[in-house]
Amino acid sequence: MEFICAGNWKMNKGPADAAAYLKSLKEMAQGDELSHVVLFPPAYCAPAVAEGTKGTAIRWGSQNSFPAPNGAATGENSPTAFKDMGAMVGLVGHSERRHIFGEPDEAIAKKVQFLQSVGVTPLLCVGETMDDRRWSRTSEVILRQIRIGLTAADPNLPLWIAYEPVWAIGTGEVATPLQVEEVHSILRNYLLEWSAAASATTPILYGGSVKSDNVQSLASLSHVSGFLIGGASLDPKEFLSILRLAREARGNR
Ligand code: PGA
């Protein structure tokens, strides 16, 4: 399974910052490091990111998308327009979309399906709240999110999954290796039942307060295929050091 180090900039950085970020990332990277990098810039940074990643192995995509190529959807992002600009991946169901904007599982399922249909890989995010965990509802919530999220998905088309416990996002509180391993194996087993072929190629990332000082204990876990990093991805030096430490912990895979 390929190793992915994805940076979710959320609503941070403008086009000039994006260009400067890519310049330093490219200057600092060595060997094939950039082939593991995936960036999710805000939509208005897309042209700068498309330009700055030209001729590199860096992949990038949208933080949110509307399940149609165009139409009356004020303020939304067209997946086909993103794809025309070079986007290869699209975040779907990030916890901020679910919790701040009230996106239900059914709407998320339509986005997953539409992205796949236009040749963009959906990165479906799932994760429980602290209340869910306290009340032992973690596996129930995760399984509901992945089951409904994939109802219209095609197991023969590329798909990525991220486990992001809501209580670990932007809080500095990272899930323990045991908690991560437990949920990742629930997700992996679900994928196996859904489609053995899809399971063999679908990476499952962990996200939630990943930093250079906590990444190594998670990177070596057998069910973790990479990371989705928010705050710590905003500095290219820290982002690259997370990538390097993670690869080292995985035996440079
Ligand atoms: P964080 O965000 O690394 O700042 O916790 C992760 C995410 O929201 O994808």
Side-chain angles (χ1 to χ4, degrees):
M1 196 87 55
E2 70 166 324
F3 170 70
I4 295 155
C5 198
N8 174 13
W9 293 357
K10 310 192 178 186
M11 200 176 69
N12 295 294
K13 298 192 187 298
D17 309 313
Y21 181 102
L22 284 162
K23 188 169 178 284
S24 33
L25 192 67
K26 289 185 288 191
E27 280 166 7
M28 287 186 293
Q30 293 159 4
D32 69 343
E33 288 176 335
L34 294 179
S35 65
H36 304 285
V37 171
V38 179
L39 296 173
F40 294 100
Y44 41 79
C45 290
V49 171
E51 182 58 35
T53 54
K54 238 184 229 157
T56 76
I58 301 172
R59 287 165 285 178
W60 64 277
S62 53
Q63 296 178 3
N64 176 40
S65 28
F66 192 79
N70 45 46
T74 304
E76 288 288 324
N77 296 324
S78 157
T80 43
F82 255 89
K83 190 179 178 210
D84 288 347
M85 296 177 77
M88 297 172 75
V89 195
L91 279 182
V92 186
H94 185 275
S95 85
E96 284 144 26
R97 299 299 316 173
R98 291 179 189 267
H99 296 281
I100 305 177
F101 302 99
E103 269 185 27
D105 289 313
E106 291 71 16
I108 288 164
K110 283 192 189 144
K111 296 180 183 201
V112 168
Q113 188 273 333
F114 191 76
L115 286 179
Q116 281 192 322
S117 75
V118 299
V120 174
T121 302
L123 172 43
L124 171 64
C125 304
V126 299
E128 83 287 4
T129 63
M130 187 40 104
D131 262 4
D132 294 330
R133 183 160 279 277
R134 279 206 194 101
W135 293 98
S136 306
R137 290 192 303 246
T138 301
S139 68
E140 181 195 323
V141 168
I142 302 291
L143 283 169
R144 188 201 73 227
Q145 290 173 339
I146 191 166
R147 180 175 50 77
I148 305 180
L150 297 185
T151 24
D154 184 339
N156 299 309
L157 293 174
L159 167 75
W160 296 356
I161 305 283
Y163 167 52
E164 296 207 299
V166 180
W167 49 271
I169 296 181
T171 59
E173 200 178 334
V174 67
T176 66
L178 187 63
Q179 290 169 328
V180 173
E181 197 72 334
E182 257 170 24
V183 175
H184 278 231
S185 40
I186 293 172
L187 292 169
R188 180 59 69 200
N189 285 337
Y190 183 86
L191 286 175
L192 263 172
E193 270 176 41
W194 183 60
S195 154
S199 176
T201 54
T202 301
I204 305 179
L205 318 185
Y206 167 78
S209 296
V210 174
K211 295 186 182 62
S212 52
D213 56 14
N214 60 28
V215 74
Q216 284 192 295
S217 58
L218 300 172
S220 51
L221 300 175
S222 59
H223 288 301
V224 173
S225 337
F227 297 97
L228 179 55
I229 307 154
S233 75
L234 295 174
D235 172 11
K237 197 160 170 255
E238 166 72 359
F239 187 52
L240 212 50
S241 101
I242 296 174
L243 165 66
R244 287 179 181 155
L245 289 163
R247 286 190 76 198
E248 198 181 291
R250 294 167 57 86
N252 283 318
R253 283 178 294 131

